[in-house]
mmCIF file of all heavy atoms in Angstrom:
data_model
loop_
_atom_site.group_PDB
_atom_site.id
_atom_site.type_symbol
_atom_site.label_atom_id
_atom_site.label_comp_id
_atom_site.label_asym_id
_atom_site.label_seq_id
_atom_site.Cartn_x
_atom_site.Cartn_y
_atom_site.Cartn_z
ATOM 1 N N PHE J 265 -19.581 -11.013 44.800
ATOM 2 C CA PHE J 265 -19.994 -12.332 44.387
ATOM 3 C C PHE J 265 -20.503 -12.298 42.930
ATOM 4 O O PHE J 265 -21.353 -13.077 42.579
ATOM 5 C CB PHE J 265 -20.938 -12.909 45.425
ATOM 6 C CG PHE J 265 -22.139 -12.168 45.716
ATOM 7 C CD1 PHE J 265 -23.371 -12.280 44.898
ATOM 8 C CD2 PHE J 265 -22.067 -11.156 46.713
ATOM 9 C CE1 PHE J 265 -24.446 -11.605 45.114
ATOM 10 C CE2 PHE J 265 -23.268 -10.396 46.977
ATOM 11 C CZ PHE J 265 -24.484 -10.630 46.237
ATOM 12 N N SER J 266 -20.081 -11.369 42.154
ATOM 13 C CA SER J 266 -20.618 -11.093 40.811
ATOM 14 C C SER J 266 -20.572 -12.363 39.877
ATOM 15 O O SER J 266 -21.310 -12.593 38.985
ATOM 16 C CB SER J 266 -19.961 -10.098 40.054
ATOM 17 O OG SER J 266 -20.317 -8.843 40.622
ATOM 18 N N GLN J 267 -19.582 -13.222 40.107
ATOM 19 C CA GLN J 267 -19.301 -14.377 39.401
ATOM 20 C C GLN J 267 -20.058 -15.628 39.936
ATOM 21 O O GLN J 267 -19.931 -16.740 39.297
ATOM 22 C CB GLN J 267 -17.772 -14.777 39.187
ATOM 23 C CG GLN J 267 -17.121 -13.757 38.331
ATOM 24 C CD GLN J 267 -17.213 -13.938 36.886
ATOM 25 O OE1 GLN J 267 -18.146 -14.551 36.389
ATOM 26 N NE2 GLN J 267 -16.249 -13.332 36.166
ATOM 27 N N ASN J 268 -20.866 -15.416 40.950
ATOM 28 C CA ASN J 268 -21.546 -16.646 41.494
ATOM 29 C C ASN J 268 -22.896 -16.512 41.056
ATOM 30 O O ASN J 268 -23.777 -15.872 41.749
ATOM 31 C CB ASN J 268 -21.352 -16.569 43.064
ATOM 32 C CG ASN J 268 -22.063 -17.865 43.798
ATOM 33 O OD1 ASN J 268 -22.793 -18.480 43.205
ATOM 34 N ND2 ASN J 268 -21.424 -18.118 44.859
ATOM 35 N N VAL J 269 -23.308 -17.163 39.998
ATOM 36 C CA VAL J 269 -24.601 -16.984 39.398
ATOM 37 C C VAL J 269 -25.783 -17.555 40.427
ATOM 38 O O VAL J 269 -26.762 -16.797 40.471
ATOM 39 C CB VAL J 269 -24.771 -17.843 38.034
ATOM 40 C CG1 VAL J 269 -26.142 -17.702 37.456
ATOM 41 C CG2 VAL J 269 -23.642 -17.429 37.029
ATOM 42 N N GLU J 270 -25.503 -18.528 41.076
ATOM 43 C CA GLU J 270 -26.543 -19.008 41.964
ATOM 44 C C GLU J 270 -26.742 -18.029 43.113
ATOM 45 O O GLU J 270 -27.958 -17.674 43.389
ATOM 46 C CB GLU J 270 -26.039 -20.432 42.589
ATOM 47 C CG GLU J 270 -27.073 -21.113 43.395
ATOM 48 C CD GLU J 270 -26.614 -22.390 44.144
ATOM 49 O OE1 GLU J 270 -25.435 -22.773 43.886
ATOM 50 O OE2 GLU J 270 -27.376 -23.007 44.864
ATOM 51 N N LEU J 271 -25.593 -17.519 43.696
ATOM 52 C CA LEU J 271 -25.938 -16.610 44.783
ATOM 53 C C LEU J 271 -26.558 -15.270 44.264
ATOM 54 O O LEU J 271 -27.457 -14.741 44.847
ATOM 55 C CB LEU J 271 -24.580 -16.328 45.565
ATOM 56 C CG LEU J 271 -24.504 -15.385 46.579
ATOM 57 C CD1 LEU J 271 -25.481 -15.739 47.770
ATOM 58 C CD2 LEU J 271 -23.253 -15.295 47.261
ATOM 59 N N ARG J 272 -26.078 -14.849 43.229
ATOM 60 C CA ARG J 272 -26.700 -13.553 42.700
ATOM 61 C C ARG J 272 -28.071 -13.726 42.246
ATOM 62 O O ARG J 272 -29.021 -12.808 42.435
ATOM 63 C CB ARG J 272 -25.736 -12.909 41.610
ATOM 64 C CG ARG J 272 -26.026 -13.513 40.267
ATOM 65 C CD ARG J 272 -24.892 -12.867 39.327
ATOM 66 N NE ARG J 272 -25.184 -13.203 38.016
ATOM 67 C CZ ARG J 272 -24.429 -13.403 36.923
ATOM 68 N NH1 ARG J 272 -23.111 -13.330 37.210
ATOM 69 N NH2 ARG J 272 -24.782 -13.781 35.770
ATOM 70 N N GLN J 273 -28.394 -14.924 41.807
ATOM 71 C CA GLN J 273 -29.917 -15.157 41.401
ATOM 72 C C GLN J 273 -30.784 -15.328 42.635
ATOM 73 O O GLN J 273 -31.856 -15.000 42.567
ATOM 74 C CB GLN J 273 -30.075 -16.251 40.531
ATOM 75 C CG GLN J 273 -29.902 -15.992 39.172
ATOM 76 C CD GLN J 273 -30.462 -17.013 38.211
ATOM 77 O OE1 GLN J 273 -29.825 -17.947 37.854
ATOM 78 N NE2 GLN J 273 -31.746 -16.809 37.823
ATOM 79 N N ILE J 274 -30.176 -15.774 43.683
ATOM 80 C CA ILE J 274 -31.101 -15.771 44.990
ATOM 81 C C ILE J 274 -31.352 -14.299 45.451
ATOM 82 O O ILE J 274 -32.403 -14.072 45.897
ATOM 83 C CB ILE J 274 -30.131 -16.441 46.141
ATOM 84 C CG1 ILE J 274 -30.100 -17.902 45.874
ATOM 85 C CG2 ILE J 274 -30.806 -16.188 47.605
ATOM 86 C CD1 ILE J 274 -29.172 -18.718 46.804
ATOM 87 N N GLN J 275 -30.337 -13.435 45.140
ATOM 88 C CA GLN J 275 -30.553 -12.033 45.465
ATOM 89 C C GLN J 275 -31.399 -11.200 44.450
ATOM 90 O O GLN J 275 -32.190 -10.445 44.837
ATOM 91 C CB GLN J 275 -29.320 -11.305 45.914
ATOM 92 C CG GLN J 275 -28.370 -12.085 46.720
ATOM 93 C CD GLN J 275 -28.998 -12.023 48.165
ATOM 94 O OE1 GLN J 275 -29.821 -11.312 48.405
ATOM 95 N NE2 GLN J 275 -28.398 -13.034 48.876
ATOM 96 N N ASP J 276 -31.119 -11.422 43.153
ATOM 97 C CA ASP J 276 -31.729 -10.793 42.079
ATOM 98 C C ASP J 276 -31.957 -11.755 40.909
ATOM 99 O O ASP J 276 -31.125 -11.924 40.141
ATOM 100 C CB ASP J 276 -30.950 -9.548 41.692
ATOM 101 C CG ASP J 276 -31.595 -8.788 40.668
ATOM 102 O OD1 ASP J 276 -32.615 -9.310 39.919
ATOM 103 O OD2 ASP J 276 -31.181 -7.702 40.304
ATOM 104 N N PRO J 277 -33.214 -12.424 40.999
ATOM 105 C CA PRO J 277 -33.428 -13.564 40.023
ATOM 106 C C PRO J 277 -33.280 -13.159 38.541
ATOM 107 O O PRO J 277 -33.189 -13.976 37.688
ATOM 108 C CB PRO J 277 -34.877 -14.024 40.383
ATOM 109 C CG PRO J 277 -35.039 -13.427 41.732
ATOM 110 C CD PRO J 277 -34.270 -12.151 41.906
ATOM 111 N N ARG J 278 -33.356 -11.850 38.225
ATOM 112 C CA ARG J 278 -33.245 -11.421 36.869
ATOM 113 C C ARG J 278 -31.821 -11.722 36.187
ATOM 114 O O ARG J 278 -31.634 -11.963 35.090
ATOM 115 C CB ARG J 278 -33.421 -9.935 36.639
ATOM 116 C CG ARG J 278 -34.776 -9.517 37.079
ATOM 117 C CD ARG J 278 -34.817 -7.852 36.847
ATOM 118 N NE ARG J 278 -33.839 -7.209 37.746
ATOM 119 C CZ ARG J 278 -33.389 -6.081 37.572
ATOM 120 N NH1 ARG J 278 -33.796 -5.219 36.666
ATOM 121 N NH2 ARG J 278 -32.475 -5.567 38.419
ATOM 122 N N ILE J 279 -30.784 -11.693 37.098
ATOM 123 C CA ILE J 279 -29.477 -11.790 36.622
ATOM 124 C C ILE J 279 -28.974 -13.124 36.473
ATOM 125 O O ILE J 279 -28.145 -13.619 37.252
ATOM 126 C CB ILE J 279 -28.486 -10.872 37.471
ATOM 127 C CG1 ILE J 279 -29.175 -9.512 37.872
ATOM 128 C CG2 ILE J 279 -27.167 -10.692 36.830
ATOM 129 C CD1 ILE J 279 -28.350 -8.785 38.935
ATOM 130 N N ASP J 280 -29.548 -13.836 35.377
ATOM 131 C CA ASP J 280 -29.147 -15.264 35.276
ATOM 132 C C ASP J 280 -27.864 -15.426 34.421
ATOM 133 O O ASP J 280 -27.177 -14.369 34.218
ATOM 134 C CB ASP J 280 -30.290 -15.981 34.589
ATOM 135 C CG ASP J 280 -30.787 -15.391 33.390
ATOM 136 O OD1 ASP J 280 -29.903 -14.708 32.689
ATOM 137 O OD2 ASP J 280 -31.952 -15.537 32.938
ATOM 138 N N SER J 281 -27.475 -16.626 33.950
ATOM 139 C CA SER J 281 -26.333 -16.729 33.262
ATOM 140 C C SER J 281 -26.257 -16.171 31.975
ATOM 141 O O SER J 281 -25.244 -16.183 31.211
ATOM 142 C CB SER J 281 -26.091 -18.361 33.164
ATOM 143 O OG SER J 281 -27.092 -18.953 32.560
ATOM 144 N N ARG J 282 -27.372 -15.518 31.420
ATOM 145 C CA ARG J 282 -27.322 -14.833 30.054
ATOM 146 C C ARG J 282 -26.398 -13.500 30.296
ATOM 147 O O ARG J 282 -25.971 -13.010 29.222
ATOM 148 C CB ARG J 282 -28.659 -14.305 29.684
ATOM 149 C CG ARG J 282 -29.560 -15.476 29.033
ATOM 150 C CD ARG J 282 -30.940 -14.896 28.808
ATOM 151 N NE ARG J 282 -31.389 -14.214 30.039
ATOM 152 C CZ ARG J 282 -32.348 -13.199 29.963
ATOM 153 N NH1 ARG J 282 -32.710 -12.852 28.814
ATOM 154 N NH2 ARG J 282 -32.765 -12.672 31.074
ATOM 155 N N PHE J 283 -26.196 -13.248 31.546
ATOM 156 C CA PHE J 283 -25.391 -11.969 31.673
ATOM 157 C C PHE J 283 -23.984 -12.425 32.157
ATOM 158 O O PHE J 283 -23.774 -13.084 33.004
ATOM 159 C CB PHE J 283 -25.955 -11.079 32.787
ATOM 160 C CG PHE J 283 -27.244 -10.369 32.283
ATOM 161 C CD1 PHE J 283 -28.470 -10.948 32.526
ATOM 162 C CD2 PHE J 283 -27.149 -9.281 31.494
ATOM 163 C CE1 PHE J 283 -29.593 -10.330 31.969
ATOM 164 C CE2 PHE J 283 -28.315 -8.535 31.008
ATOM 165 C CZ PHE J 283 -29.571 -9.166 31.207
ATOM 166 N N THR J 292 -16.511 -14.777 43.839
ATOM 167 C CA THR J 292 -17.720 -15.884 44.048
ATOM 168 C C THR J 292 -18.208 -15.727 45.478
ATOM 169 O O THR J 292 -19.167 -16.507 45.738
ATOM 170 C CB THR J 292 -17.140 -17.257 43.761
ATOM 171 O OG1 THR J 292 -15.924 -17.452 44.373
ATOM 172 C CG2 THR J 292 -17.098 -17.515 42.196
ATOM 173 N N MET J 309 -28.073 -7.159 49.785
ATOM 174 C CA MET J 309 -27.379 -8.068 48.935
ATOM 175 C C MET J 309 -27.979 -8.253 47.581
ATOM 176 O O MET J 309 -27.335 -8.679 46.618
ATOM 177 C CB MET J 309 -27.377 -9.567 49.602
ATOM 178 C CG MET J 309 -26.613 -9.568 50.748
ATOM 179 S SD MET J 309 -24.726 -9.927 50.522
ATOM 180 C CE MET J 309 -24.774 -11.735 50.005
ATOM 181 N N ASP J 310 -29.218 -7.671 47.461
ATOM 182 C CA ASP J 310 -29.937 -7.787 46.204
ATOM 183 C C ASP J 310 -29.698 -6.493 45.201
ATOM 184 O O ASP J 310 -30.053 -6.460 44.199
ATOM 185 C CB ASP J 310 -31.396 -8.008 46.308
ATOM 186 C CG ASP J 310 -31.913 -7.032 47.277
ATOM 187 O OD1 ASP J 310 -31.319 -6.286 47.941
ATOM 188 O OD2 ASP J 310 -33.290 -6.876 47.211
ATOM 189 N N TRP J 311 -28.797 -5.633 45.770
ATOM 190 C CA TRP J 311 -28.513 -4.525 44.902
ATOM 191 C C TRP J 311 -27.237 -4.816 44.208
ATOM 192 O O TRP J 311 -26.030 -4.742 44.734
ATOM 193 C CB TRP J 311 -28.358 -3.251 45.636
ATOM 194 C CG TRP J 311 -29.664 -2.758 46.121
ATOM 195 C CD1 TRP J 311 -30.154 -2.809 47.337
ATOM 196 C CD2 TRP J 311 -30.595 -1.898 45.171
ATOM 197 N NE1 TRP J 311 -31.490 -2.131 47.201
ATOM 198 C CE2 TRP J 311 -31.560 -1.583 46.118
ATOM 199 C CE3 TRP J 311 -30.418 -1.411 44.000
ATOM 200 C CZ2 TRP J 311 -32.780 -0.806 45.584
ATOM 201 C CZ3 TRP J 311 -31.434 -0.674 43.510
ATOM 202 C CH2 TRP J 311 -32.621 -0.300 44.336
ATOM 203 N N ILE J 312 -27.322 -5.411 43.057
ATOM 204 C CA ILE J 312 -26.223 -5.881 42.137
ATOM 205 C C ILE J 312 -26.100 -5.003 40.916
ATOM 206 O O ILE J 312 -27.084 -4.813 40.259
ATOM 207 C CB ILE J 312 -26.345 -7.344 41.751
ATOM 208 C CG1 ILE J 312 -26.533 -8.214 43.049
ATOM 209 C CG2 ILE J 312 -25.243 -7.775 40.921
ATOM 210 C CD1 ILE J 312 -26.735 -9.624 42.831
ATOM 211 N N MET J 314 -25.268 -3.459 37.440
ATOM 212 C CA MET J 314 -24.851 -3.849 36.022
ATOM 213 C C MET J 314 -24.012 -2.723 35.398
ATOM 214 O O MET J 314 -24.402 -1.483 35.542
ATOM 215 C CB MET J 314 -26.104 -4.085 35.174
ATOM 216 C CG MET J 314 -27.198 -5.118 35.826
ATOM 217 S SD MET J 314 -26.526 -6.694 35.958
ATOM 218 C CE MET J 314 -26.548 -7.225 34.265
ATOM 219 N N VAL J 462 -22.720 -7.889 34.703
ATOM 220 C CA VAL J 462 -22.691 -7.740 36.156
ATOM 221 C C VAL J 462 -21.289 -7.240 36.693
ATOM 222 O O VAL J 462 -20.329 -7.744 36.329
ATOM 223 C CB VAL J 462 -22.822 -9.212 36.821
ATOM 224 C CG1 VAL J 462 -22.991 -9.003 38.304
ATOM 225 C CG2 VAL J 462 -24.052 -9.875 36.180
ATOM 226 N N CYS J 465 -21.238 -5.790 43.505
ATOM 227 C CA CYS J 465 -22.192 -6.038 44.523
ATOM 228 C C CYS J 465 -22.257 -4.990 45.537
ATOM 229 O O CYS J 465 -21.297 -4.835 46.388
ATOM 230 C CB CYS J 465 -21.939 -7.421 45.145
ATOM 231 S SG CYS J 465 -21.875 -8.770 43.905
#
Side-chain angles (χ1 to χ4, degrees):
Chain J
F265 54 92
S266 287
Q267 290 281 17
N268 187 333
V269 179
E270 188 181 356
L271 180 53
R272 78 186 193 211
Q273 269 201 277
I274 287 170
Q275 305 297 341
D276 183 344
R278 294 176 306 163
I279 314 173
D280 57 26
S281 53
R282 286 174 306 152
F283 290 94
T292 45
M309 291 277 281
D310 53 345
W311 285 98
I312 299 171
M314 306 297 286
V462 185
C465 298

